Amino acid sequence: MRHRSLLVLTAVLTTGALTLTACGSRSDDKKGSGDSSGAAKTTVVIGVDAPLTGQNSATGLGIQYGVQIAVDDANKNNLVPGVTFKIKALDDKALPATGQQNATALVADSSVIAAVGPLNSGVAQSMQQVFTTANMVEISPSNTNPTLTQGKDWNTGTKVRPFKTYFRTATTDALQGGFAADYAYNTLKKTNAFVVDDKQTYGAGLAGIFKDKFGSLGGKIAGTDHVNTGDNDFSTLVTKIKNAKADMVYYGGQYDESEQLTKQLKAAGVKIPLMGGDGMFSDTYIKTAGPASEGDLATSVGVPVTTLPAAKDFIATYKAKNYPGDYGTYGGYSYDAATAIIKGVKAVMDANGGKLPAMADARSKLVDAVQKSDFDGIAGHVSFDQYGDTTNKQLTVYQVKSGKWEAVKSGTYSG
């Protein structure tokens, strides 16, 4: 999506890397342990940036704890001999300016070697240059806007990777928007869609791609409009949609607004489905919208994590530890992003006689190691193309049925 911990190595973390700070740091405070010989281990920190409070926090917390479980598993299984991994999680509140501040703080922390996040594509735009300047890996489990990896002219066929340190384990809106339009027109048989977006990088981009593809398939656009993040009164928009005689609404944005929009649509007697992207795919959407969400749809990256045998232990651990947030949307992709970093650290050390290089060198070498990632993660195969995009192009359409998201179509989409 989206849209709306890093590692630098030291023998002992500074106190600031482990405690809650004014800027919203939340870190695992477990002590590192020695190896079987009793030798002290080096502590390596993976940064996490996501909205941990406020808007989008349900999915943001899913990212944080997805990384936490990956780190705990790596430590328990001694995946990188001689290293204990920890996380340092910062709250960006879904705000680009805060994300940029967090990126700067993570880069400045000599215990952080790489970062997982952010959730929102708009926040990512404010962070990419900071990480690139520091030659530090950033892997997002959720950003889907194509420009982040392929440049501003990607839709003309001119693709240029802007930042070599940026990667993602989620596929892009270039596929997701078209996948949604194809399902709406060819499977749902909808012909008159009203398209709304929240004016953010993720939402506006996704809505635009859906609109263009839906039109090219033969569908009509009943109307378009925009909302602001934080809005909760959509009475004027509901009237526009009703008067346009639309047979569906496509919403580009997050669940915070769409869950209110669908409630107000249904309350006004507009009994048409609302469809959105992965920013809407959260249990929170259903809990807040209630019965009004029945029949609504959302696309999301990958296939349902609950159907993947490799994710069984991850889900069991998440539930057993009673972690907050929604693991179903990006938890698996966060786990895999952290694992790519952890495996990259091992590759860097293996190439350096089993030792971590000096920090600046370690960060730089990790960029190349992550680019060469090639392993089976819990949410699918993990590898990256020349743009830093995942090679896992699977997508799923979900529909609310009897108060739960149910997968109704999964597959790959080429456009």
Side-chain angles (χ1 to χ4, degrees), residues 213-234:
K213 184 63 179 180
F214 191 77
S216 72
L217 291 170
K220 295 181 180 179
I221 303 302
T224 61
D225 208 342
H226 314 278
V227 300
N228 297 306
T229 56
D231 282 356
N232 52 36
D233 181 356
F234 299 107

PDB file of all heavy atoms in Angstrom, residues 213-234:
ATOM      1  N   LYS A 213      -8.533   1.650 -16.095  1.00  0.00           N
ATOM      2  CA  LYS A 213      -8.714   0.266 -16.536  1.00  0.00           C
ATOM      3  C   LYS A 213     -10.191  -0.067 -16.686  1.00  0.00           C
ATOM      4  O   LYS A 213     -10.598  -0.717 -17.671  1.00  0.00           O
ATOM      5  CB  LYS A 213      -8.062  -0.694 -15.534  1.00  0.00           C
ATOM      6  CG  LYS A 213      -8.133  -2.155 -15.967  1.00  0.00           C
ATOM      7  CD  LYS A 213      -7.365  -2.377 -17.276  1.00  0.00           C
ATOM      8  CE  LYS A 213      -7.419  -3.831 -17.704  1.00  0.00           C
ATOM      9  NZ  LYS A 213      -6.675  -4.064 -18.961  1.00  0.00           N
ATOM     10  N   PHE A 214     -11.009   0.393 -15.742  1.00  0.00           N
ATOM     11  CA  PHE A 214     -12.449   0.136 -15.809  1.00  0.00           C
ATOM     12  C   PHE A 214     -13.028   0.733 -17.082  1.00  0.00           C
ATOM     13  O   PHE A 214     -13.832   0.103 -17.775  1.00  0.00           O
ATOM     14  CB  PHE A 214     -13.136   0.726 -14.577  1.00  0.00           C
ATOM     15  CG  PHE A 214     -14.565   0.319 -14.401  1.00  0.00           C
ATOM     16  CD1 PHE A 214     -14.900  -0.943 -13.917  1.00  0.00           C
ATOM     17  CD2 PHE A 214     -15.599   1.207 -14.694  1.00  0.00           C
ATOM     18  CE1 PHE A 214     -16.235  -1.316 -13.743  1.00  0.00           C
ATOM     19  CE2 PHE A 214     -16.935   0.840 -14.524  1.00  0.00           C
ATOM     20  CZ  PHE A 214     -17.250  -0.428 -14.046  1.00  0.00           C
ATOM     21  N   GLY A 215     -12.592   1.932 -17.417  1.00  0.00           N
ATOM     22  CA  GLY A 215     -13.051   2.581 -18.639  1.00  0.00           C
ATOM     23  C   GLY A 215     -12.603   1.851 -19.889  1.00  0.00           C
ATOM     24  O   GLY A 215     -13.370   1.704 -20.848  1.00  0.00           O
ATOM     25  N   SER A 216     -11.351   1.369 -19.872  1.00  0.00           N
ATOM     26  CA  SER A 216     -10.837   0.681 -21.056  1.00  0.00           C
ATOM     27  C   SER A 216     -11.546  -0.653 -21.298  1.00  0.00           C
ATOM     28  O   SER A 216     -11.613  -1.150 -22.425  1.00  0.00           O
ATOM     29  CB  SER A 216      -9.330   0.434 -20.921  1.00  0.00           C
ATOM     30  OG  SER A 216      -9.052  -0.570 -19.962  1.00  0.00           O
ATOM     31  N   LEU A 217     -12.128  -1.225 -20.245  1.00  0.00           N
ATOM     32  CA  LEU A 217     -12.850  -2.480 -20.369  1.00  0.00           C
ATOM     33  C   LEU A 217     -14.260  -2.281 -20.906  1.00  0.00           C
ATOM     34  O   LEU A 217     -14.931  -3.229 -21.305  1.00  0.00           O
ATOM     35  CB  LEU A 217     -12.919  -3.190 -19.002  1.00  0.00           C
ATOM     36  CG  LEU A 217     -11.603  -3.741 -18.458  1.00  0.00           C
ATOM     37  CD1 LEU A 217     -11.775  -4.196 -17.003  1.00  0.00           C
ATOM     38  CD2 LEU A 217     -11.105  -4.893 -19.312  1.00  0.00           C
ATOM     39  N   GLY A 218     -14.720  -1.025 -20.882  1.00  0.00           N
ATOM     40  CA  GLY A 218     -16.062  -0.725 -21.358  1.00  0.00           C
ATOM     41  C   GLY A 218     -16.984  -0.162 -20.303  1.00  0.00           C
ATOM     42  O   GLY A 218     -18.137   0.180 -20.593  1.00  0.00           O
ATOM     43  N   GLY A 219     -16.496  -0.060 -19.079  1.00  0.00           N
ATOM     44  CA  GLY A 219     -17.303   0.494 -18.011  1.00  0.00           C
ATOM     45  C   GLY A 219     -17.404   2.008 -18.096  1.00  0.00           C
ATOM     46  O   GLY A 219     -16.540   2.669 -18.680  1.00  0.00           O
ATOM     47  N   LYS A 220     -18.444   2.570 -17.497  1.00  0.00           N
ATOM     48  CA  LYS A 220     -18.616   4.018 -17.455  1.00  0.00           C
ATOM     49  C   LYS A 220     -18.262   4.527 -16.055  1.00  0.00           C
ATOM     50  O   LYS A 220     -18.452   3.842 -15.054  1.00  0.00           O
ATOM     51  CB  LYS A 220     -20.064   4.392 -17.791  1.00  0.00           C
ATOM     52  CG  LYS A 220     -20.476   4.056 -19.219  1.00  0.00           C
ATOM     53  CD  LYS A 220     -21.921   4.477 -19.482  1.00  0.00           C
ATOM     54  CE  LYS A 220     -22.322   4.144 -20.911  1.00  0.00           C
ATOM     55  NZ  LYS A 220     -23.745   4.533 -21.189  1.00  0.00           N
ATOM     56  N   ILE A 221     -17.746   5.752 -16.004  1.00  0.00           N
ATOM     57  CA  ILE A 221     -17.446   6.385 -14.733  1.00  0.00           C
ATOM     58  C   ILE A 221     -18.595   7.326 -14.402  1.00  0.00           C
ATOM     59  O   ILE A 221     -18.780   8.358 -15.055  1.00  0.00           O
ATOM     60  CB  ILE A 221     -16.104   7.137 -14.775  1.00  0.00           C
ATOM     61  CG1 ILE A 221     -14.971   6.180 -15.169  1.00  0.00           C
ATOM     62  CG2 ILE A 221     -15.812   7.782 -13.421  1.00  0.00           C
ATOM     63  CD1 ILE A 221     -14.806   4.974 -14.247  1.00  0.00           C
ATOM     64  N   ALA A 222     -19.370   6.958 -13.399  1.00  0.00           N
ATOM     65  CA  ALA A 222     -20.556   7.739 -13.039  1.00  0.00           C
ATOM     66  C   ALA A 222     -20.199   9.101 -12.471  1.00  0.00           C
ATOM     67  O   ALA A 222     -20.987  10.047 -12.552  1.00  0.00           O
ATOM     68  CB  ALA A 222     -21.391   6.962 -12.027  1.00  0.00           C
ATOM     69  N   GLY A 223     -19.017   9.200 -11.906  1.00  0.00           N
ATOM     70  CA  GLY A 223     -18.555  10.451 -11.335  1.00  0.00           C
ATOM     71  C   GLY A 223     -17.295  10.215 -10.528  1.00  0.00           C
ATOM     72  O   GLY A 223     -16.920   9.064 -10.259  1.00  0.00           O
ATOM     73  N   THR A 224     -16.624  11.300 -10.170  1.00  0.00           N
ATOM     74  CA  THR A 224     -15.430  11.206  -9.335  1.00  0.00           C
ATOM     75  C   THR A 224     -15.500  12.271  -8.257  1.00  0.00           C
ATOM     76  O   THR A 224     -16.147  13.312  -8.433  1.00  0.00           O
ATOM     77  CB  THR A 224     -14.139  11.403 -10.154  1.00  0.00           C
ATOM     78  OG1 THR A 224     -14.147  12.715 -10.746  1.00  0.00           O
ATOM     79  CG2 THR A 224     -14.014  10.355 -11.252  1.00  0.00           C
ATOM     80  N   ASP A 225     -14.854  12.016  -7.148  1.00  0.00           N
ATOM     81  CA  ASP A 225     -14.794  13.012  -6.075  1.00  0.00           C
ATOM     82  C   ASP A 225     -13.620  12.678  -5.166  1.00  0.00           C
ATOM     83  O   ASP A 225     -12.988  11.622  -5.300  1.00  0.00           O
ATOM     84  CB  ASP A 225     -16.096  13.042  -5.281  1.00  0.00           C
ATOM     85  CG  ASP A 225     -16.369  14.421  -4.670  1.00  0.00           C
ATOM     86  OD1 ASP A 225     -15.427  15.226  -4.569  1.00  0.00           O
ATOM     87  OD2 ASP A 225     -17.531  14.687  -4.301  1.00  0.00           O
ATOM     88  N   HIS A 226     -13.345  13.587  -4.259  1.00  0.00           N
ATOM     89  CA  HIS A 226     -12.230  13.436  -3.336  1.00  0.00           C
ATOM     90  C   HIS A 226     -12.694  13.740  -1.916  1.00  0.00           C
ATOM     91  O   HIS A 226     -13.619  14.528  -1.714  1.00  0.00           O
ATOM     92  CB  HIS A 226     -11.086  14.390  -3.696  1.00  0.00           C
ATOM     93  CG  HIS A 226     -10.752  14.416  -5.143  1.00  0.00           C
ATOM     94  ND1 HIS A 226      -9.943  13.463  -5.744  1.00  0.00           N
ATOM     95  CD2 HIS A 226     -11.132  15.261  -6.134  1.00  0.00           C
ATOM     96  CE1 HIS A 226      -9.841  13.733  -7.033  1.00  0.00           C
ATOM     97  NE2 HIS A 226     -10.561  14.810  -7.295  1.00  0.00           N
ATOM     98  N   VAL A 227     -12.053  13.114  -0.944  1.00  0.00           N
ATOM     99  CA  VAL A 227     -12.319  13.410   0.458  1.00  0.00           C
ATOM    100  C   VAL A 227     -10.986  13.718   1.129  1.00  0.00           C
ATOM    101  O   VAL A 227      -9.918  13.530   0.538  1.00  0.00           O
ATOM    102  CB  VAL A 227     -13.006  12.218   1.165  1.00  0.00           C
ATOM    103  CG1 VAL A 227     -14.325  11.872   0.502  1.00  0.00           C
ATOM    104  CG2 VAL A 227     -12.090  10.993   1.204  1.00  0.00           C
ATOM    105  N   ASN A 228     -11.060  14.203   2.335  1.00  0.00           N
ATOM    106  CA  ASN A 228      -9.854  14.465   3.120  1.00  0.00           C
ATOM    107  C   ASN A 228      -9.696  13.391   4.176  1.00  0.00           C
ATOM    108  O   ASN A 228     -10.679  12.886   4.729  1.00  0.00           O
ATOM    109  CB  ASN A 228      -9.942  15.831   3.800  1.00  0.00           C
ATOM    110  CG  ASN A 228     -10.017  16.970   2.813  1.00  0.00           C
ATOM    111  OD1 ASN A 228      -9.177  17.092   1.926  1.00  0.00           O
ATOM    112  ND2 ASN A 228     -11.034  17.811   2.948  1.00  0.00           N
ATOM    113  N   THR A 229      -8.459  13.015   4.477  1.00  0.00           N
ATOM    114  CA  THR A 229      -8.247  12.070   5.557  1.00  0.00           C
ATOM    115  C   THR A 229      -8.759  12.702   6.853  1.00  0.00           C
ATOM    116  O   THR A 229      -8.542  13.879   7.105  1.00  0.00           O
ATOM    117  CB  THR A 229      -6.764  11.705   5.703  1.00  0.00           C
ATOM    118  OG1 THR A 229      -5.994  12.903   5.890  1.00  0.00           O
ATOM    119  CG2 THR A 229      -6.264  10.996   4.446  1.00  0.00           C
ATOM    120  N   GLY A 230      -9.457  11.919   7.631  1.00  0.00           N
ATOM    121  CA  GLY A 230     -10.038  12.429   8.862  1.00  0.00           C
ATOM    122  C   GLY A 230     -11.488  12.846   8.730  1.00  0.00           C
ATOM    123  O   GLY A 230     -12.171  13.074   9.731  1.00  0.00           O
ATOM    124  N   ASP A 231     -11.994  12.953   7.491  1.00  0.00           N
ATOM    125  CA  ASP A 231     -13.408  13.300   7.289  1.00  0.00           C
ATOM    126  C   ASP A 231     -14.306  12.194   7.858  1.00  0.00           C
ATOM    127  O   ASP A 231     -13.955  11.001   7.812  1.00  0.00           O
ATOM    128  CB  ASP A 231     -13.724  13.440   5.794  1.00  0.00           C
ATOM    129  CG  ASP A 231     -13.242  14.759   5.209  1.00  0.00           C
ATOM    130  OD1 ASP A 231     -12.738  15.595   5.973  1.00  0.00           O
ATOM    131  OD2 ASP A 231     -13.366  14.931   3.980  1.00  0.00           O
ATOM    132  N   ASN A 232     -15.468  12.594   8.377  1.00  0.00           N
ATOM    133  CA  ASN A 232     -16.425  11.580   8.832  1.00  0.00           C
ATOM    134  C   ASN A 232     -17.871  11.909   8.449  1.00  0.00           C
ATOM    135  O   ASN A 232     -18.783  11.152   8.752  1.00  0.00           O
ATOM    136  CB  ASN A 232     -16.322  11.362  10.348  1.00  0.00           C
ATOM    137  CG  ASN A 232     -16.407  12.662  11.122  1.00  0.00           C
ATOM    138  OD1 ASN A 232     -17.141  13.562  10.741  1.00  0.00           O
ATOM    139  ND2 ASN A 232     -15.667  12.751  12.216  1.00  0.00           N
ATOM    140  N   ASP A 233     -18.069  13.043   7.780  1.00  0.00           N
ATOM    141  CA  ASP A 233     -19.410  13.395   7.291  1.00  0.00           C
ATOM    142  C   ASP A 233     -19.375  13.369   5.767  1.00  0.00           C
ATOM    143  O   ASP A 233     -18.774  14.229   5.129  1.00  0.00           O
ATOM    144  CB  ASP A 233     -19.823  14.780   7.793  1.00  0.00           C
ATOM    145  CG  ASP A 233     -21.224  15.177   7.329  1.00  0.00           C
ATOM    146  OD1 ASP A 233     -21.848  14.410   6.560  1.00  0.00           O
ATOM    147  OD2 ASP A 233     -21.697  16.265   7.728  1.00  0.00           O
ATOM    148  N   PHE A 234     -20.012  12.366   5.195  1.00  0.00           N
ATOM    149  CA  PHE A 234     -19.986  12.193   3.746  1.00  0.00           C
ATOM    150  C   PHE A 234     -21.373  12.381   3.128  1.00  0.00           C
ATOM    151  O   PHE A 234     -21.660  11.832   2.064  1.00  0.00           O
ATOM    152  CB  PHE A 234     -19.440  10.806   3.410  1.00  0.00           C
ATOM    153  CG  PHE A 234     -18.040  10.578   3.904  1.00  0.00           C
ATOM    154  CD1 PHE A 234     -17.800   9.748   4.991  1.00  0.00           C
ATOM    155  CD2 PHE A 234     -16.957  11.200   3.303  1.00  0.00           C
ATOM    156  CE1 PHE A 234     -16.521   9.530   5.466  1.00  0.00           C
ATOM    157  CE2 PHE A 234     -15.668  10.993   3.765  1.00  0.00           C
ATOM    158  CZ  PHE A 234     -15.445  10.164   4.849  1.00  0.00           C
TER     159      PHE A 234
END
